[in-house]
């Protein structure tokens, strides 16, 4: 299954691992890249030395391509841009902002730039900016989300731009990957299933919360007054829900309360294992994930599952047409 993405990046499988803050470290990203996908270090708000340590870890594991996700609102964004250039990183994905001011430097260094976009308008703007591809992420995904679903977003973005599109949000198996390709995507990005990978250093409590989740167990917090986040229901999500109800009751609500509630909440869950008061960011696909596997097993299950699904459905449709 060769696509413009596998050719552009030199990867075996058209599967990205999402650059999840606190989760996507050198161990996880390195395991994904070693297995033939694109492992991505989640830069988040981490300082330069932390990201550098994760890059060093990957380089000690594999010579395969890997990426770094740069959160453009990070206070260390300039340092991280300097770092990826210094370290010869081949791929950068971006979120939470416009990578325009860094494009010339990144491309001059031979770095492929792939921003995450939640809308057609932003995808078209990024194409004009000169990015190499876009990740279209539907609201089914875990963490910070937009307003459109993967099913509606991917098909519209692929019609609107000429650069390759990577589909993200609600994809965790071969059937989901096959569906994304039918919508015009040339690769997929997966987050939640990799959180529970054996190589993931996420706290076991966090993993268990995902493994035990049902289809309706994720909710969106702060969707009216803050930055909407999808995660698994717990005490924190109920506090966010109450804070939103309280905010609706007053004319000029104090919106800083949402930032205060969210500060450090992801670390509490991922690192400390506090899945009651921490933010258990996870996608709606959590209800489909039932076991810990290696990154190699996850990637091969998705890839060969997608091929099997595409062939089976092609045959079924052919038989229907003949009838």
């Amino acid at each position: 299954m060769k696509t413009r993405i596998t050719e552009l990046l030199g990867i075996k499988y058209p599967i990205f691992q999402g650059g999840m803050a606190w989760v996507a470290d050198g161990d996880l990203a390195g395991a994904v890249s070693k297995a033939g996908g694109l492992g991505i270090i989640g830069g988040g708000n981490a300082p330069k030395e932390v990201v550098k340590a994760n890059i060093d870890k990957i380089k000690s594991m594999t010579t395969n391509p890997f990426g770094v996700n740069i959160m453009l609102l990070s206070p260390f964004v300039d340092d991280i841009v300097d770092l990826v250039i210094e370290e010869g990183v081949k791929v950068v994905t971006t979120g939470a902002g416009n990578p325009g001011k860094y494009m010339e430097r990144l491309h001059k260094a031979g770095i492929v730039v792939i921003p995450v976009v939640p809308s057609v308008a932003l995808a078209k703007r990024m194409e004009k900016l000169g990015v190499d591809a876009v990740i279209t992420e539907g609201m089914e995904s875990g963490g910070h989300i937009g307003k459109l679903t993967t099913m509606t977003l991917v098909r519209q973005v692929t019609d609107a731009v000429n650069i390759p599109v990577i589909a993200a949000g609600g994809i965790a198996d071969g059937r989901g990957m096959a569906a994304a390709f039918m919508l015009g995507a040339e690769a997929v990005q997966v987050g939640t299933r990799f959180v529970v990978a054996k190589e993931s250093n996420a706290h076991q409590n966090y993993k268990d919360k995902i493994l035990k989740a049902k289809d309706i167990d994720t909710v969106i917090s702060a969707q009216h007054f803050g930055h909407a986040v999808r995660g698994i229901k717990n005490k924190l999500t109920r506090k966010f829900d109450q804070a939103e109800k309280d905010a609706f009751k007053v004319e000029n609500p104090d919106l800083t309360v949402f930032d205060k509630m969210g500060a450090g909440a992801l670390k509490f869950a991922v690192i400390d294992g506090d899945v009651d008061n921490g933010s258990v960011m996870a996608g709606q696909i959590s209800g489909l994930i039932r076991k810990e596997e290696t990154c190699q097993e996850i990637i091969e299950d998705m890839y060969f599952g997608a091929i099997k699904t595409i062939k089976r459905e092609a045959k079924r449709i052919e038989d229907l047409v003949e009838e």
Side-chain angles (χ1 to χ4, degrees), residues 215-237:
D215 58 339
I216 58 172
D217 279 350
T218 67
V219 293
I220 303 171
S221 298
Q223 59 182 318
H224 298 106
F225 295 102
H227 302 290
V229 173
R230 183 181 297 284
I232 296 177
K233 291 184 286 189
N234 62 4
K235 290 181 181 179
L236 179 64
T237 63

Side-chain angles (χ1 to χ4, degrees), residues 172 192-198 200 202-215 217-218 232 275 280-294 298:
T192 306
R193 189 171 179 185
F194 280 122
V195 174
V196 302
K198 290 184 177 179
S200 167
H203 198 286
Q204 192 60 46
N205 291 350
Y206 195 107
K207 292 183 177 183
D208 289 343
K209 198 77 171 175
I210 293 172
L211 293 169
K212 295 176 182 177
K214 299 189 294 293
D215 58 339
D217 279 350
T218 67
I232 296 177
V275 293
V280 187
M281 294 184 183
Q284 286 184 314
I285 204 66
S286 295
L288 190 70
I289 301 168
R290 285 292 171 264
K291 59 182 178 179
E292 292 183 52
E293 300 169 283
T294 66
I298 291 171

Side-chain angles (χ1 to χ4, degrees), residues 57 102 212 243:
K57 179 65 177 180
Y102 304 107
K212 295 176 182 177

Side-chain angles (χ1 to χ4, degrees), residues 53-184:
N54 284 314
I55 290 174
D56 290 343
K57 179 65 177 180
I58 292 182
K59 288 182 175 180
S60 72
M61 296 172 64
T62 180
T63 58
N64 290 348
F66 66 91
V68 172
N69 175 261
I70 300 179
M71 191 177 77
L72 297 168
L73 291 180
S74 166
F76 305 107
V77 60
D78 291 333
D79 290 341
I80 304 304
V81 170
D82 290 341
L83 177 66
V84 297
I85 293 173
E86 293 164 5
E87 292 296 317
V89 174
K90 300 302 181 185
V91 186
V92 159
T93 63
T94 67
N98 187 327
K101 65 179 289 188
Y102 304 107
M103 284 294 296
E104 184 177 353
R105 287 187 64 208
L106 292 171
H107 273 166
K108 187 176 180 180
I111 297 174
V112 173
V113 182
I114 308 177
V116 177
V117 298
S119 69
V120 170
L122 190 54
K124 292 169 71 173
R125 193 184 316 161
M126 291 298 102
E127 182 176 36
K128 288 181 181 178
L129 193 63
V131 304
D132 301 280
V134 289
I135 299 168
T136 57
E137 186 171 66
M139 67 179 297
E140 298 96 322
S141 63
H144 295 281
I145 60 172
K147 297 182 180 297
L148 297 174
T149 65
T150 303
M151 176 67 77
T152 56
L153 179 61
V154 174
R155 66 207 300 183
Q156 293 182 72
V157 171
T158 55
D159 284 349
V161 300
N162 295 310
I163 53 178
V165 173
I166 299 98
I171 301 169
D173 66 355
R175 290 172 295 171
M177 184 173 171
F181 273 73
M182 293 302 99
L183 296 175

